[in-house]
Every structure is written in C-alpha cells, then in structure tokens.
Amino acid sequence: MRFTKLRWLAAISFTAALPACVGAQAVQQSRYGGTLHVKLRTASVSLDPREWTPGSLASAASQKLASLVYDRLVTLDDHAKFQPALAMDWSHDAAARYWQFKLRPSVQFSDGSPLTPADVVASLQSSLGKGFDVIAAENGVAIRSAHPAPDLLEQLASGSNFIFRRKPDATLLGTGPFFVVESVAAAPAETNPLAIKPARIKFRANGGTWSGRPFVDFVEVTLGEPPLRQLLDLQLGKADIAEIAPDLVRKGRQEGLRIWNSAPRTLVALRFDDSFDAPASDQLREALWLALDRDTMANVLLQKEAQPADSLLPQWLSGYAFLFESPMNLQRARELRAAFPAGVPGAAQPLRLRVDAPGDLFKLMAERVAVNARQANLMVQVALPTGGNNSSAPAVALHLFAWHYDSLSPHAELGAVVKQLREGGDLPANTTDPEQLFAQERRLLEERRILPLVLLPEYAGVRANVHNWNASPWGDWRLADVWLDSEDPMITKTPAGSPKNSSSARSPGARP
C-alpha cells in the first residue's frame, strides 16, 4: 500500500463550500479604517507562544490572536503552495536534514527596530524542539535536523513557530500587521459586582509592517463571552465576527447569520488514565470501543455539525484516515462484557469519567458515552468536578478531552498527541513517511487507550458588513485582509494608488 501527499485536496475543495456572497464582495471598493469587533469563547489567552500547551483549545485561540502580532518564516496558501513571509527563499540538501532560509531585508518590529537572524534563532530553537539546531547566518538562518525533515515547511507555517523578540521587561515584539495597545483583565462590573466584565484586548494597525497596512485601524477582541451572548451580539451588531458553538450553528443559520466553518480542527476523544491497569483491561477497552455510537453523537447531539472520528488525525491532514473504521457492535460488546472475570471495573463498579474539556457541550458528550456504555452492560459514571485536591474521591479511569490540531505536519501533530496524552510516549523521529506514520497511528488505535469520538470544525459568525473574509480551510482568520462597510464618517476610502502605510505612532510592543 502506498500513500501520496493528497491530504490537501480535501482542504482545497473545502473552499468551494464558502458562501457565494464572500466572492461577490470583491467587486466593491475596499475601505480603510474602523474597528473590527471580535468575540471569542475562551476566557483568557497568552500572546507568548512558549506558554502554549499543544492541543489545548485555549492555545488555539491564543494562536489566532498571535497571528495578528507575529509572522512566520513561510505561509501556506489555499492551493497547498508555500509562500514567502519573513523568509524570501529557502533550500535544503538531498536528505532534507540541512535547510537554509534567506530573510526578507528591511523588516522591522513594531517599535521600528530591525529583524535579525538572532531573533529567528531565539524564536525557533525552543518551538521546534529537540532534534533541530537553528543557526544564524549572514542574511538568514540555517536549520539542521538530526533526522530527515521533509515536513519542515509545514511545521514552520503553523503551530507556535512565530518569530518575535523578547525585551528585558518581558514585552514581546512582533513584525505582524497589528500590535497590542490595550489589555484589560476580566473584572466585576461596576453596576453589579456579581457580574463579570469579560477580558478585552485591543490591537492597532501596524503601519510599518513589511506586508502592508491592514484595512481596519483596530481589532478589539472580547474574551469569555457565553455562546448565546455571542450569537445575540452578532444579531445586534455588537460583534462583527464571533465564534459559534457547534450546537448553535443551526440556530444561527435559521436566524439568517452568515456562518463560516473550517475543516475539522478539533478531535473529541476518550483516554484511559495511564494508571488504569485492571484485570481484563484489554477486553474492557475493546468493549467500550464497540459500544460507542459516534454517528448519533455527530448527527443528533451535534446536529450534523461534526463528523464521526475513526482516527487520531483527520483525513485532510494525514491523507489516510479513510483506512480506519470504528464500527459500533453492541452484540460483540455485550459478549466481551459477559466474559469479564469478577472484579473488573465497569462491571463490578463504575468507571469514573472526567470531562477535561471546558463547556456544557462536552459534558453532554460524556453523558452520551455513559448511555452507550450502559447499552453494553458497562457502567460509566461521569465524575462531577471537585474543588481542590480530594484524595478520598474514587480514582478516575477515563477522560473525555478535546485536542485541537495545531500543526500542518501530520508527523509533528501525531507526535504531539503521543507526547501529551501518553505518559513517557514519543513518536520515532524518522516517522515522516506516510506509510510509516499510518503504521504508528494504527498501532496506537489498536491499543484502545485513546478512543476517538467526533471531529469538530471551527465555526464563526461573520456579519454582512465584513468584507474580504477569506479565512483558510485550516482555520487562519487573516483579519489583516478584511475591511468594513460602514457609513461611519470616520471611515473614508483610501484614494486609488495610495500606499498601505501609516505615519501614526506605534506602540513599543505588546505584553502577553
């Protein structure tokens, strides 16, 4: 069996599903100015890539905002072609172990200081991790890998591989289209101390960025808004772009909102605790795997806004996910359960399932897992959250978690899954060939320690006044490209031929 790098075909074909009205906006003349109001569900973010936890939903939101402030060496367009960013040119040896990147000249950080090869080395040496050595050169950098790294461009175009400079006062500087001018933490409301005013971050257009001035003057991001409030704010014009929870997508469409969705970006799955090693645990894990009704979770609970998951990596990323299957077989699950010896957890006493992902949606999914298990005569109990360290609480055997795909490299992504979810786990460094990667993922799935449930796209509501919305299939929002259609007299058309730059004073940096 041979695999080819066709995984991007799914992403390319996805762009055709975008609303026709998006393309129609291109005929209108663009405007400069205005404030783009964005609302996110996560309550807090960090603009320091070194603080991000791989796979976490909070880090996914942080990455979205970080792309406003920082740039990468390379980017990937919707046709799966790598495009220059901070690196103008690159090359590698025949073994793909030694890469050279020529930096774009005259690039400046938001305080006006020049980008240097040393900045790139400092940024990438920690984010690329072990096995990579980043070396400064006269006009760029070289990256040496201990093993062949044919997927290095995919890694550099995604994840935490942003380029930034850390100042002595911990301020981070970027070369991106915006910089932070205001950051307000969540606090009790003045009129009602019991109510909490959400955190807010305001970004200002960087007139000196190498890529050209963004259309909007400011991007104001509000964090931690409840899902229903975000939907209402879109309808009332209090938000221009807002995340939409999967279970509210149908409601949003019924109410006439313009909804965008990405390719599947989040895996929802079960994970057996590393300390769980009971008698007949192999049969128990298989019985639970056969009892899970993924189709009902995706089509009923999530109203067809999700896909049943048979693999750890989605088809658009790996290219081979279609080779896996997770058939539901209650009869076989019951047969395995009937053969359990005495004292097996899940039979003699319930397996405790803890929800490690935030939000009511994931709690509902955990309850559905418990229902599926009961149909196979297995006992699963959703563990209620407890305050502090409760040493007397029964041990947790199962976890329901959400994993957000950060990297465009399937090898790097699967390695991050293994490292983060398996104690002491690590993926062989030379597993970059698709056939080898498929074999490694198949081995992991056959252990039944991680049981995929569903794949979730990202959803966002976009108001009609937002033009040139061309978010990528894998979730980059590209807010520097959008412009606002507004009758506000403060928003004026830029004369034809005017350069995209600004003489306004710039912030010295942004504190994460």
Side-chain angles (χ1 to χ4, degrees):
M1 172 173 25
R2 292 194 60 79
F3 303 106
T4 57
K5 291 188 176 181
L6 297 178
R7 59 183 180 274
W8 292 109
L9 290 179
I12 294 170
S13 63
F14 169 81
T15 59
L18 292 175
C21 59
V22 177
Q25 296 168 5
V27 301
Q28 303 183 35
Q29 186 174 359
S30 57
R31 295 173 180 263
Y32 285 80
T35 298
L36 181 72
H37 295 275
V38 178
K39 302 212 169 184
L40 302 179
R41 294 198 305 271
T42 185
S44 63
V45 297
S46 168
L47 295 182
D48 189 342
R50 296 165 300 181
E51 297 178 353
W52 300 348
T53 301
S56 74
L57 299 181
S59 293
S62 297
Q63 183 175 318
K64 269 188 173 55
L65 299 187
S67 65
L68 300 178
V69 180
Y70 314 122
D71 291 306
R72 295 185 171 98
L73 286 185
V74 296
T75 62
L76 192 68
D77 65 21
D78 291 345
H79 303 287
K81 294 181 180 179
F82 292 101
Q83 302 294 336
L86 294 182
M88 291 186 63
D89 193 18
W90 52 87
S91 60
H92 61 81
D93 62 5
R97 292 187 179 186
Y98 186 77
W99 291 73
Q100 292 178 296
F101 296 85
K102 181 181 178 181
L103 294 182
R104 186 181 298 273
S106 304
V107 174
Q108 296 181 343
F109 286 102
S110 59
D111 66 345
S113 60
L115 171 72
T116 68
D119 296 313
V120 179
V121 172
S123 300
L124 295 182
Q125 191 60 71
S126 59
S127 63
L128 285 176
K130 64 179 183 179
F132 290 96
D133 189 18
V134 188
I135 308 160
E138 183 178 355
N139 297 317
V141 296
I143 300 178
R144 183 181 290 113
S145 173
H147 301 276
D151 63 337
L152 181 59
L153 293 181
E154 281 97 334
Q155 294 189 53
L156 293 176
S158 58
S160 61
N161 295 306
F162 288 105
I163 307 303
F164 55 89
R165 176 186 292 170
R166 180 182 174 90
K167 297 178 68 176
D169 64 353
T171 298
L172 297 185
L173 298 176
T175 60
F178 295 91
F179 53 87
V180 176
V181 290
E182 186 179 9
S183 181
V184 180
E190 295 86 351
T191 56
N192 181 8
L194 297 180
I196 300 297
K197 292 176 62 176
R200 184 170 50 85
I201 306 177
K202 192 170 187 176
F203 299 83
R204 183 174 183 174
N206 179 7
T209 182
W210 63 272
S211 56
R213 186 198 187 282
F215 287 107
V216 297
D217 290 334
F218 298 96
V219 176
E220 187 169 299
V221 180
T222 304
L223 303 174
E225 291 280 27
L228 281 173
R229 172 64 63 81
Q230 289 187 332
L231 206 61
L232 182 62
D233 286 346
L234 279 170
Q235 295 170 322
L236 297 178
K238 295 182 178 180
D240 299 307
I241 300 171
E243 288 182 311
I244 303 293
D247 53 333
L248 293 178
V249 169
R250 176 176 293 185
K251 177 179 175 62
R253 287 185 176 135
Q254 289 172 344
E255 296 178 359
L257 288 178
R258 178 174 146 211
I259 306 292
W260 165 87
N261 67 278
S262 72
R265 289 303 307 273
T266 300
L267 169 70
V268 183
L270 297 175
R271 175 178 65 85
F272 278 89
D273 195 89
D274 290 326
S275 61
F276 179 77
D277 189 17
S281 57
D282 290 343
Q283 294 92 325
L284 169 63
R285 291 195 296 268
E286 183 177 2
L288 182 57
W289 174 68
L290 292 170
L292 295 171
D293 189 352
R294 298 166 178 82
D295 288 335
T296 297
M297 293 180 190
N299 297 327
V300 179
L301 188 63
L302 293 167
Q303 303 177 28
K304 297 185 178 181
E305 302 299 342
Q307 300 176 12
D310 303 321
S311 58
L312 299 178
L313 300 183
Q315 173 67 23
W316 69 268
L317 183 58
S318 72
Y320 57 67
F322 70 95
L323 295 171
F324 295 111
E325 60 178 359
S326 300
M328 181 182 181
N329 190 334
L330 274 178
Q331 181 59 35
R332 177 58 182 160
R334 289 166 180 161
E335 290 173 358
L336 289 169
R337 161 65 182 88
F340 284 178
V344 172
Q349 67 272 355
L351 289 171
R352 287 176 56 80
L353 168 60
R354 189 177 73 193
V355 181
D356 292 341
D360 294 336
L361 176 62
F362 298 108
K363 295 176 184 177
L364 289 174
M365 294 195 66
E367 295 290 351
R368 174 59 60 176
V369 169
V371 170
N372 289 164
R374 189 159 59 247
Q375 292 172 334
N377 300 322
L378 295 169
M379 289 191 293
V380 171
Q381 181 184 65
V382 180
L384 297 176
T386 57
N389 257 344
N390 188 353
S391 57
S392 62
V396 171
L398 271 173
H399 302 257
L400 186 143
F401 69 94
W403 179 273
H404 185 271
Y405 301 114
D406 295 324
S407 179
L408 295 176
S409 162
H411 164 74
E413 193 62 46
L414 187 61
V417 171
V418 173
K419 186 173 183 179
Q420 195 73 15
L421 300 180
R422 293 291 306 277
E423 185 177 348
D426 212 348
L427 199 67
N430 59 351
T431 313
T432 53
D433 178 81
E435 293 187 29
Q436 296 175 336
L437 200 66
F438 168 75
Q440 288 290 335
E441 184 170 348
R442 181 177 60 184
R443 179 182 61 81
L444 289 168
L445 290 170
E446 288 175 347
E447 291 178 355
R448 309 277 190 259
R449 289 191 173 273
I450 301 177
L451 308 179
L453 297 177
V454 297
L455 290 166
L456 293 173
E458 292 179 354
Y459 293 94
V462 183
R463 290 191 70 225
N465 68 316
V466 177
H467 295 265
N468 202 34
W469 170 264
N470 63 344
S472 74
W474 48 92
D476 291 341
W477 280 9
R478 300 170 178 169
L479 298 184
D481 296 337
V482 306
W483 54 275
L484 298 173
D485 182 12
S486 173
E487 300 302 321
D488 190 331
M490 296 300 293
I491 299 180
T492 58
K493 293 183 179 179
T494 298
S498 295
K500 291 177 67 178
N501 56 38
S502 170
S503 60
S504 58
R506 284 176 283 149
S507 164
R511 190 175 297 275

